[in-house]
Amino acid sequence: MSNLPTAPARTPEPNPIDSVSPTGDGRSAYWGLDAQGTVAAYLKRLRSISVQLIVVLLANLVVMLWAVRLERYVLYLVALALTLVAAFVTRLRKVKLSTGLSEVVGEDCDPARYRAALDALAERDRFGRSANTIAIELAYCDYLELDSAGALRRLESVSFKRPDNPRWFRVMQVEFLSRVDTGDLDGARDTLSRLSAFRTSFKEGSRNRAVIDSQIADFAVLVRPPAERDAADAVRMRERMAAADCHQQRANWQLYLAEYELLHGSADEAARLASDTALEPLTPRMERLRAEVLSGLEVSG
């Protein structure tokens, strides 16, 4: 992501399920699809990965049975090893597919389509193995769709046996943002304190530790009311805007910076940031923030 906002990419034609947009173009692989199409495309890819694994497992089973019959045990061990590798690779592919689905929010800023996909996955989760993870992401959709109180209620149902389960990090992320949005700054500070304590669950110097440390620094800015943010906070906003790894992040920090400029800096700069066409697309929550900034500019003008 460049330091300066870039012009928005041309809106592609709606994609059929078998022809999704390529990665790396600032949009998710489901860009141009409606909610039903997004769900269908995701499930089709998920089934394809599962079918490929079944084919590999059956082939390896045949080889293993043949190897035992002919007493070729080295071949048997090779086939067994390939079976384990295939299972591991399949899991990685499913994780990558799930990450790609989250780009419906990260790149497309469309929590409604993301919610539809999550609901479809919940229906397929017959044993509830992913219930907590899905609930967290649905709570995030609640927050993005201006229902932070609903997000907090939903998070109350989430629980993991291990106190150091990495998914608690995601829970606290959504909880913090929702508390800030509802004006519960004391609750947000408590969440930030718990998040700071949780950072010790990650090894110093690890990627996860770097991510959580960066998140804590971000939240230290957001927990202060906009009127109380200072020049150092503005520097952090510009840094995060420049280093953002998805459209949603960059647009969010650009709007926070526009809000800061409106309250503390230049109205012209606030107008430039909030009116930038490269902000599109926006989530409902981001639309609200931009509308507030533009309304504030009208009043100050």
Side-chain angles (χ1 to χ4, degrees):
M1 187 73 67
S2 61
N3 291 345
L4 298 176
T6 56
R10 179 181 65 84
T11 302
E13 295 296 327
N15 294 316
I17 292 175
D18 290 318
S19 178
V20 294
S21 64
T23 58
D25 62 356
R27 297 288 184 263
S28 79
Y30 306 92
W31 175 254
L33 300 176
D34 59 13
Q36 184 177 359
T38 298
V39 172
Y42 178 81
L43 294 180
K44 181 177 181 179
R45 293 178 176 190
L46 188 63
R47 284 192 295 268
S48 177
I49 292 173
S50 298
V51 169
Q52 290 173 36
L53 175 63
I54 292 173
V55 170
V56 171
L57 293 180
L58 289 176
N60 281 346
L61 178 61
V62 171
V63 172
M64 291 167 67
L65 292 174
W66 181 77
V68 169
R69 182 178 180 182
L70 299 181
E71 298 185 353
R72 297 187 178 182
Y73 298 112
V74 172
L75 180 60
Y76 173 88
L77 292 176
V78 170
L80 178 61
L82 289 176
T83 298
L84 297 176
V85 169
F88 177 74
V89 170
T90 296
R91 178 166 179 78
L92 290 181
R93 292 179 67 192
K94 288 185 176 181
V95 169
K96 184 177 180 180
L97 186 64
S98 178
T99 301
L101 182 62
S102 69
E103 290 180 356
V104 170
V105 167
E107 298 293 353
D108 302 347
C109 293
D110 193 340
R113 276 198 296 131
Y114 189 42
R115 182 188 297 277
L118 292 169
D119 287 340
L121 292 178
E123 291 178 2
R124 291 169 56 89
D125 187 27
R126 299 176 182 176
F127 301 103
R129 294 172 181 171
S130 301
N132 283 319
T133 300
I134 291 173
I136 297 169
E137 294 306 301
L138 286 173
Y140 187 48
C141 290
D142 293 336
Y143 162 74
L144 293 176
E145 294 182 306
L146 307 178
D147 185 14
S148 293
L152 292 171
R153 287 194 299 271
R154 194 187 296 270
L155 289 177
E156 292 176 356
S157 68
V158 175
S159 179
F160 299 104
K161 293 181 179 180
R162 289 171 43 208
D164 61 344
N165 189 311
R167 283 174 290 186
W168 282 120
F169 174 39
R170 181 62 166 165
V171 171
M172 286 184 277
Q173 278 183 311
V174 180
E175 179 186 349
F176 174 88
L177 293 170
S178 298
R179 292 195 182 283
V180 169
D181 191 48
T182 58
D184 180 14
L185 295 185
D186 288 338
R189 292 187 186 99
D190 176 70
T191 305
L192 182 57
S193 177
R194 287 186 283 115
L195 190 60
S196 298
F198 187 72
R199 65 192 289 272
T200 59
S201 300
F202 299 97
K203 184 179 179 181
E204 187 76 41
S206 66
R207 180 181 179 277
N208 285 338
R209 181 63 173 267
V211 169
I212 196 171
D213 285 346
S214 177
Q215 187 76 95
I216 290 171
D218 292 346
F219 286 176
V221 173
L222 300 182
V223 78
R224 286 191 286 275
E228 298 179 11
R229 293 169 190 166
D230 56 24
D233 294 330
V235 170
R236 177 67 181 180
M237 294 175 198
R238 291 187 182 279
E239 290 175 347
R240 295 298 290 120
M241 180 179 160
D245 55 14
C246 69
H247 173 78
Q248 184 197 19
Q249 281 186 10
R250 183 187 65 78
N252 254 328
W253 285 108
Q254 184 168 330
L255 289 170
Y256 287 137
L257 186 60
E259 181 182 48
Y260 172 85
E261 293 291 349
L262 172 65
L263 297 174
H264 305 281
S266 164
D268 289 341
E269 178 65 2
R272 185 189 71 81
L273 291 167
S275 302
D276 183 8
T277 56
L279 283 171
E280 299 289 347
L282 298 173
T283 65
R285 198 200 70 81
M286 295 156 71
E287 288 278 13
R288 184 184 67 181
L289 179 55
R290 180 169 67 172
E292 291 172 351
V293 172
L294 294 176
S295 177
L297 286 168
E298 291 179 0
V299 172
S300 64

